[in-house]
Amino acid sequence: MEPSSPEVAAAPARPADSGLHARVLEHLGTAICGGELAPGSVLNIDELVDRYAVSRSVVREVLRVLASIGFIEARRRVGVMIRPASAWNVFDPQVIRWRLASAGRIAQLRSITELRTAVEPHAAYLAASRIGRDEASDLVGLAAKMWAAGEAGDEERFLHLDIEFHRRVLLASGNEMFVRLQELVAEVLTGRHKHHLMPHHPHEQALQMHADVAQAIQRRDGERARQAMVQLMEQAFDEMKSLWEQTALPDRSTDGGPTTSR
Amino acid sequence: MEPSSPEVAAAPARPADSGLHARVLEHLGTAICGGELAPGSVLNIDELVDRYAVSRSVVREVLRVLASIGFIEARRRVGVMIRPASAWNVFDPQVIRWRLASAGRIAQLRSITELRTAVEPHAAYLAASRIGRDEASDLVGLAAKMWAAGEAGDEERFLHLDIEFHRRVLLASGNEMFVRLQELVAEVLTGRHKHHLMPHHPHEQALQMHADVAQAIQRRDGERARQAMVQLMEQAFDEMKSLWEQTALPDRSTDGGPTTSR
DNA sequence: TAGATCCAAATGATATGATCTTTGAGTGGA
DNA sequence: TCCACTCAAAGATCATATCATTTGGATCTA
C-alpha cells in the first residue's frame, strides 16, 4: 500500500472525511436528503452492516448521529424509520451541505436567502453599536476592495471579498447565532456565483450599498446600516428570483413516481 | 385511549429519555454547556466508561453525537477534547435546551430574542402573501382570544395563545427554516413568563399589535404586517431588556448578595 | 365469535474483549 | 541541533454475545 513515500501527494482529510464513520454517514445523509430513502421507509441495522460492509459499531454510531439531527428514529422490533423533512434540523451545517448537493438545492438556497434577508439587516443594525474601531475600519476597507475588484471584473476575488464582508458584519453583530449563519451565507453566495446569477461587473448600486453599510456601521448609525443592508438583500433576492421561478413548485402533493424504492 | 389504572403515575419515556445513551448524553451535554467541562480539557473513553458505569458502545455513541454538534473533537493518542462555544451548533434544539438550563440562560434568551426580532417581521411579511384563507382566519381569531385572555388577566392562557400565535405566523411564512424557529420562540416566551417579565394585564398596545399583525396578514398587506411585528418585537425586547442589564455586567459596586456561586 | 391473555420472534440496546490505525513523544545517531 | 526511527497510548473498528422491549399472532376464556 503506502510505504510512506516522500511525496505524500494526497494526504488530505484533516477534519472529518476519511474513516468509515464519515463515509457511511455521508452516504446515508445524502440518500435521505436526496429522497432516495423516502420518509416512512424502514431500514435495519444488520442490513446496513451488510450493505456497507462495516461493523455494527460504525453503523450504530452513524445512526445515533442521524437520529440527533432528526433524520431517523429507531424503534425496537421495527427498525430504523426515515423521518419526514419536517423533523430535520435544517440549521445543521451538515444537513445544509447535503441539501445543497441534492435535488432540493434550489429550495435550500431560497430558504437561506430569505433567512439572510431577515437576519442581515438586523445584524448590520446591531453591528453599528457593537463593532470595534479597527473592525469598522477593516469593514470599510473591505467595501473599498470590493469596489476595486468589481471595477476590474475580477469575479473570483469579488466573491471572496463579498463573503468576507458579510462574515464580518455577522461577526460584529455580537450575536453568536448570527455568527453561525456566516457559513450559510457563504454557501449562498458561492451558489449564486456557480449559477451565474451575478453580472460580470457587479451593479454599481450593489457596490455603493456595501460601502454604505460599512460606513453607516462605522458611524454607528444603526438605522442607516439596516436600511442599506435591506436594499442589498432586496437586490440579491431579485437576482436570484429567476432561480426559483424556473424551478418553482414541483407540486409535491401526490408524489407521482414511486421513485427508486430500492 | 388510557385503559390503564388511575395511578400509573410515572409512565414516562416516550421519545428519548430513558436509556443509557440519553442519560449520558444529557449529563455530558449539560456539563459542557454549563462550563463544568472547560474548553480544552480532555477526557478519555475509558474514564467515561468508569464514571458512568456503562459500556464503551454507549460512550462512543454519545461522543459521536456530541462531536456532531461541535461539543468535542476526538483525536487519537490524545483523547476527547472539549471544544469552545464558538464551535457549537447553537441552532441545535438540544443545545438550546441545555443552554437555557445552564448559567448562560440569560445570554441564550438574549440571542434568541435578537434572532426573533430579525426573523419574525420578515416571517409576517412572507406570511401575508403565502397564508391560506382559513389559516388567516384562525390567526385573526387567535389574536381575538389573546385580547380576551389579556382582559381577563388569565396569564397562563395568554402565554399559550401567544406562543400559538407566533407559531402560526412562522408556519405561514412557508419557510422551513423559520418554522424550525418556532420552538425557540416558545422557549423565550415561556422564559419571559417565568421571569415575571410580563405585566399581569398585557399592555393594551401589545394586544392591539397582535391584532394588527393578524389583520394585515389576512389582508395580504405584507408591509403593514412587518411593521406591526417590528413594533411587537421592539416592545418584547424592551420588556426583557432588564434581564440582560441586570445580569450583563457584574456591577459589583452595590453587591447585594454573593448569589449562587454553586 | 369476540375479546383478553400469553408467548415467542424480531430488532434495537448494551456489554465485552480483541485487533487495527494513527500519532505524540521519546530516543539515538549523524 | 536536528532528523529518522521506535514505541506506546488512545481512538477506530470489528466480532460476538446477551439483555430488553415491542408486537403479531397463537391460545385461552366467556
Side-chain angles (χ1 to χ4, degrees):
Chain A
M1 18 293 268
E2 285 274 89
S4 70
S5 52
E7 37 270 50
V8 192
R14 217 48 37 65
D17 38 49
S18 67
L20 300 182
H21 177 83
R23 192 166 62 75
V24 176
L25 178 63
E26 187 71 17
H27 195 273
L28 275 175
T30 303
I32 294 174
C33 274
E36 296 159 48
L37 289 174
S41 54
V42 175
L43 306 173
N44 77 40
I45 294 182
D46 294 319
E47 176 188 332
L48 293 170
V49 166
D50 292 341
R51 184 190 308 180
Y52 292 107
V54 296
S55 70
R56 296 178 91 72
S57 313
V58 173
V59 170
R60 295 201 99 264
E61 286 165 27
V62 166
L63 293 182
R64 286 293 195 191
V65 172
L66 290 175
S68 96
I69 57 182
F71 274 25
I72 64 169
E73 186 183 352
R75 287 160 66 172
R76 291 179 166 172
R77 176 62 201 242
V78 175
V80 177
M81 246 187 347
I82 310 295
R83 300 183 68 187
S86 59
W88 302 351
N89 278 187
V90 286
F91 283 93
D92 187 306
Q94 207 157 33
V95 173
I96 289 172
R97 273 201 310 105
W98 288 330
R99 294 199 59 197
L100 285 173
S102 80
R105 190 173 67 254
I106 305 300
Q108 177 69 89
L109 280 175
R110 175 175 193 153
S111 294
I112 299 179
T113 300
E114 286 177 359
L115 183 64
R116 283 187 70 195
T117 303
V119 170
E120 293 208 52
H122 196 61
Y125 170 82
L126 292 177
S129 64
R130 296 176 180 173
I131 200 169
R133 273 199 177 72
D134 294 344
E135 299 167 284
S137 305
D138 289 350
L139 196 63
V140 174
L142 260 178
K145 286 180 190 167
M146 286 179 71
W147 188 85
E151 286 292 295
D154 187 341
E155 291 183 67
E156 283 297 328
R157 181 169 165 74
F158 185 82
L159 172 64
H160 290 145
L161 290 169
D162 200 6
I163 290 174
E164 184 65 13
F165 181 89
H166 291 277
R167 192 177 77 83
R168 302 257 187 134
V169 173
L170 290 171
L171 266 173
S173 76
N175 182 308
E176 60 197 341
M177 301 185 88
F178 290 5
V179 173
R180 262 349 204 74
L181 296 176
Q182 170 255 119
E183 52 199 295
L184 308 200
V185 171
E187 291 288 359
V188 170
L189 293 180
T190 305
R192 181 171 68 170
H193 182 253
K194 276 187 194 162
H195 285 279
H196 305 294
L197 287 172
M198 304 195 61
H200 285 243
H201 285 270
H203 295 140
E204 174 67 31
Q205 290 179 318
L207 294 171
Q208 186 56 49
M209 286 185 241
H210 277 88
D212 286 350
V213 168
Q215 193 182 67
I217 288 177
Q218 188 180 39
R219 303 286 155 81
R220 305 205 173 287
D221 186 343
E223 212 42 69
R224 193 156 72 83
R226 167 189 276 137
Q227 283 303 323
M229 187 65 94
V230 164
Q231 292 187 296
L232 212 42
M233 291 296 113
E234 281 174 353
Q235 182 177 8
F237 197 86
D238 284 344
E239 281 174 7
M240 301 190 72
K241 214 186 308 189
S242 63
L243 254 194
W244 20 95
E245 281 177 349
Q246 78 189 38
T247 320
L249 305 173
D251 182 31
R252 58 205 306 101
S253 52
T254 51
D255 194 15
T259 62
T260 65
S261 82
R262 67 183 210 75
Chain B
M1 26 292 269
E2 286 273 73
S4 51
S5 52
E7 37 270 48
V8 193
R14 214 50 39 64
D17 39 51
S18 68
L20 300 182
H21 177 83
R23 191 166 63 75
V24 176
L25 178 63
E26 187 71 18
H27 194 273
L28 274 176
T30 302
I32 294 175
C33 275
E36 297 160 47
L37 288 173
S41 54
V42 176
L43 306 173
N44 75 41
I45 293 181
D46 295 321
E47 175 188 333
L48 294 172
V49 166
D50 293 341
R51 184 188 310 178
Y52 293 107
V54 296
S55 70
R56 274 204 316 282
S57 314
V58 172
V59 170
R60 295 201 100 265
E61 286 165 27
V62 166
L63 293 181
R64 286 292 194 190
V65 171
L66 289 175
S68 95
I69 56 182
F71 274 26
I72 63 171
E73 186 183 352
R75 285 160 66 172
R76 291 179 169 177
R77 177 60 204 245
V78 175
V80 177
M81 244 186 348
I82 310 296
R83 300 183 67 188
S86 59
W88 301 351
N89 278 188
V90 286
F91 283 93
D92 187 305
Q94 206 157 31
V95 173
I96 288 172
R97 272 201 310 106
W98 288 329
R99 293 199 60 197
L100 285 173
S102 80
R105 190 173 67 252
I106 305 300
Q108 177 69 89
L109 281 175
R110 175 175 193 152
S111 294
I112 299 179
T113 300
E114 285 177 359
L115 182 65
R116 283 188 70 195
T117 303
V119 169
E120 293 207 52
H122 196 60
Y125 170 81
L126 292 176
S129 64
R130 295 176 181 173
I131 200 169
R133 272 198 178 72
D134 294 343
E135 298 167 286
S137 305
D138 289 349
L139 197 63
V140 174
L142 260 178
K145 286 180 190 167
M146 285 179 71
W147 187 85
E151 287 293 296
D154 187 342
E155 290 183 68
E156 283 296 328
R157 180 168 166 75
F158 184 83
L159 172 63
H160 290 145
L161 290 169
D162 199 8
I163 290 174
E164 185 64 12
F165 181 88
H166 291 277
R167 192 177 77 84
R168 303 257 186 135
V169 173
L170 290 171
L171 266 173
S173 75
N175 182 309
E176 59 196 344
M177 301 185 88
F178 290 5
V179 174
R180 263 348 203 75
L181 295 176
Q182 171 255 117
E183 52 197 295
L184 307 200
V185 172
E187 291 287 358
V188 170
L189 293 181
T190 304
R192 182 171 67 170
H193 182 254
K194 277 188 194 161
H195 285 278
H196 306 293
L197 288 171
M198 304 194 59
H200 285 242
H201 285 270
H203 296 141
E204 174 67 31
Q205 290 181 319
L207 293 171
Q208 185 57 48
M209 286 185 241
H210 277 90
D212 286 350
V213 168
Q215 193 181 67
I217 289 177
Q218 188 180 40
R219 304 285 155 81
R220 305 206 172 288
D221 185 344
E223 212 41 69
R224 193 157 71 84
R226 166 190 277 138
Q227 283 303 323
M229 187 66 94
V230 164
Q231 291 186 296
L232 212 43
M233 291 297 112
E234 282 173 354
Q235 183 177 7
F237 196 86
D238 283 344
E239 281 174 7
M240 301 189 72
K241 214 184 313 188
S242 63
L243 252 195
W244 18 96
E245 282 177 349
Q246 80 188 37
T247 315
L249 305 174
D251 180 31
R252 52 228 301 124
S253 54
T254 54
D255 195 11
T259 63
T260 62
S261 85
R262 64 188 330 280

